[in-house]
Amino acid sequence: MTATLAALIGAAPDAAEAIRYSGRSIAYGDLARCAARVAGGLAALGMRANDRVALWMPNAPAWLETLFALGHLGAVAVAVNTRFRAVEVADIVGRSRARALVLWPGFKGADFVEILDAVDPAALDRLEAIVLYDEGEAPAKLPGRLAGKRVLRYADLVSAPPFAAAAGTAESGAAIFTTSGTTKAPKFVLHTQRSLVDHARAVAPAFGYGAADAVMLQALPFCGVFGLSQALATIAAGRPMALLPAFEAEAAARAVAAERVTHMNGSDEMYRRMLEAAPGARPFPTLRRAGFASFNSDPEEFVAFGDSRGLPLAGLYGMSEIQALFAAQSPGAPAAERARGGGTPVSPEARVRVRDPESGRILPDGESGEIEAKGPSLMAGYADDPAATAAAFTEDGYLRTGDLGYTVPGGFVFHARMGDALRLGGYLVNPVEISSHIEAHPAVAGCQVVGAKTKRGERAVAFVVKRAAAAADEAALIAHCRAGLAAFKCPEAVIFLDAFPVAESANGAKIQRAKLRDWAKERFGA
């Protein structure tokens, strides 16, 4: 089976419903034909194979149309997070050498024109064209510094003659995603058409997307692998997605009910907000598979919360380099298993192993170390960075994920990032083990645990947000740990906060553990 984006969308029945968006329905055949016309319009602009086009817009059918259009050309979509601001946009658009930028300046959720006006002009030097998408709102006035760039409406692309040539191949670059990094510029993760399509075709049956009544809620943004992996798998199954421009809890909850959504994926924060917005004991009776990534919650507590409201949560695993939905827990498994990240890889060709980071030894089931993975969903590499690409892979082609976990028969369990893992008493320790114990104290609303170098060596440091009016102090919480944990796991200090520092990402707010590590370092003067 041909592994191109054109083949993926062309395999769906022409009249089958692909997208439900803003009260209208779009068939797969119409989506494919529109993509061919957009490809023709981009070709008329001078876009060719291997060129890069930045997509900086919320979810809309046009995002997917442009991705598939670029697939026809053999060109590459550079996914720009809609939450990014001037410095980040300048870095990605400039460093990627994008020749065109597609954006939705009239979208009410973000002032893209104001952000663009603050972008360093030098970062836009390589841009030759700017494509403005709209949904009937008044035309936007672009910053004067963009004078000289060719500016046209997305509707102009849609009205072009269809692109007839087949320039894109399975090995053509298809999409660039940015890694999340806080201390240096993010790396550009490059996926080919083959890796995107093969992965979508593996995810669809593994997640049950091909069921005759399956409907996907697409509230995750296309600009991240979490959202795009889900969308392409839905297309591989030939089923409809209920598409939201951006995640809003009330709108998402209404869409699940109105569209009889059966499948979705999201972060713990997204689900919690949806459940808060939806009344009733079982507000989403049609939803039978809800994959989740735990960014801010105790996973076991969160799965129990979901079960109490009839929400069948199950843990996932993925990253930009191997795509989201690489592995998943079974929705029919016991709650303790569903709470874990990791699970069974969706592709029968995927392989996972765990290596001791100090000795280099491949570890047996149950022993924790760095997760290494390979399979059809692997990236081609980091674009324009051969040294980083070489460092990311082992000699036999496994990706060094930088994640802590262990294998089990038929799958694996993800604990935490290796940077978050603690080396305490000679053992690799998952910080969640400590934070979960502290959160069991009635005075604690939330806890995050990081490591710090102290006079006694590497030790755990707990950051705690107390419940309102709670009176517990540092000594009480350390005593609570000593009563239930091995001595080497007990925190050296407990630091109280009003709230955890967070950073916005494509999939919602994430706690800034790097900032917590800096604060812990300051506490001990290391």
Side-chain angles (χ1 to χ4, degrees), residues 35-49 51 53 69-70 72-73 75 99 150 157 160-165 167:
R37 293 194 298 272
V38 172
L42 290 170
L45 277 176
M47 300 299 124
R48 298 291 184 265
D51 284 342
V53 174
L70 293 170
H72 284 301
L73 300 175
R99 292 186 61 204
R150 184 171 180 182
L157 300 183
F163 185 75

Side-chain angles (χ1 to χ4, degrees), residues 83-456:
R83 295 177 181 268
F84 283 172
R85 293 301 180 258
V87 172
E88 298 152 314
V89 173
D91 172 61
I92 294 168
V93 174
R95 192 156 50 93
S96 71
R97 303 191 307 278
R99 292 186 61 204
L101 171 65
V102 183
L103 71 153
W104 182 359
F107 179 67
K108 64 181 180 180
D111 194 337
F112 291 112
V113 173
E114 180 179 331
I115 297 167
L116 195 59
D117 190 36
V119 168
D120 181 354
L124 306 178
D125 282 349
R126 291 179 180 269
L127 275 183
E128 299 169 23
I130 298 175
V131 179
L132 304 179
Y133 174 77
D134 70 82
E135 295 191 351
E137 63 271 11
K141 184 177 181 181
L142 292 178
R145 67 178 62 178
L146 296 178
K149 310 288 185 187
R150 184 171 180 182
V151 178
L152 67 161
R153 296 178 62 217
Y154 184 79
D156 297 330
L157 300 183
V158 175
S159 63
F163 185 75
T169 70
E171 307 313 322
S172 297
I176 286 175
F177 300 96
T178 54
T179 58
S180 56
T182 57
T183 58
K184 57 184 178 181
K187 294 188 283 290
F188 291 161
V189 177
L190 173 65
H191 280 281
T192 63
Q193 294 197 35
R194 182 184 299 281
S195 65
L196 293 181
V197 171
D198 282 351
H199 185 53
R201 289 171 174 164
V203 170
F207 278 66
Y209 291 173
D213 64 340
V215 177
M216 173 65 68
L217 177 67
Q218 184 67 41
L220 289 165
F222 293 141
C223 61
V225 290
F226 205 179
L228 192 61
S229 295
Q230 171 182 277
L232 294 182
T234 307
I235 292 170
R239 296 300 304 160
M241 66 182 81
L243 179 61
L244 300 180
F247 175 76
E248 295 178 355
E250 294 80 5
R254 288 195 301 270
V256 171
E259 306 294 346
R260 299 190 62 80
V261 168
T262 58
H263 295 74
M264 68 173 291
N265 298 291
S267 67
D268 46 6
E269 178 192 16
M270 290 171 64
Y271 286 114
R272 192 176 296 277
R273 288 169 58 189
M274 286 174 63
L275 287 169
E276 290 172 351
R282 296 176 60 86
F284 307 128
T286 63
L287 195 56
R288 58 177 177 261
R289 182 151 189 165
F292 83 102
S294 182
F295 295 145
N296 301 309
S297 304
D298 177 331
E300 290 196 15
E301 178 274 333
F302 186 63
V303 166
F305 172 66
D307 285 349
S308 72
R309 300 289 304 279
L311 186 63
L313 293 163
L316 303 169
Y317 180 82
M319 60 194 306
S320 296
E321 289 84 347
I322 56 173
Q323 301 185 60
L325 313 183
F326 174 83
Q329 301 290 355
S330 169
E337 290 183 27
R338 288 187 285 114
R340 299 170 180 167
T344 302
V346 299
S347 171
E349 300 175 45
R351 298 290 181 268
V352 176
R353 67 190 184 193
V354 169
R355 186 186 299 272
D356 184 288
E358 294 185 349
S359 70
R361 181 172 62 96
I362 301 301
L363 299 173
D365 288 352
E367 290 192 28
S368 293
E370 182 181 12
I371 297 169
E372 296 179 347
K374 70 176 180 179
S377 64
L378 263 177
M379 67 174 178
Y382 295 116
D384 312 320
D385 196 341
T389 300
F393 289 96
T394 64
E395 290 185 358
D396 56 348
Y398 279 77
L399 176 75
R400 297 183 173 101
T401 67
D403 286 338
L404 174 70
Y406 59 90
T407 55
V408 296
F412 67 102
V413 174
F414 161 74
H415 273 327
R417 292 292 293 167
M418 288 296 291
D420 293 337
L422 311 178
R423 178 67 74 171
L424 304 175
Y427 298 94
L428 276 175
V429 177
N430 178 12
V432 175
E433 181 183 354
I434 303 172
S435 61
S436 295
H437 181 75
I438 294 174
E439 287 176 341
H441 192 285
V444 176
C447 177
Q448 293 287 317
V449 173
V450 299
K453 291 182 180 179
T454 73
K455 292 180 180 179
R456 299 198 303 133

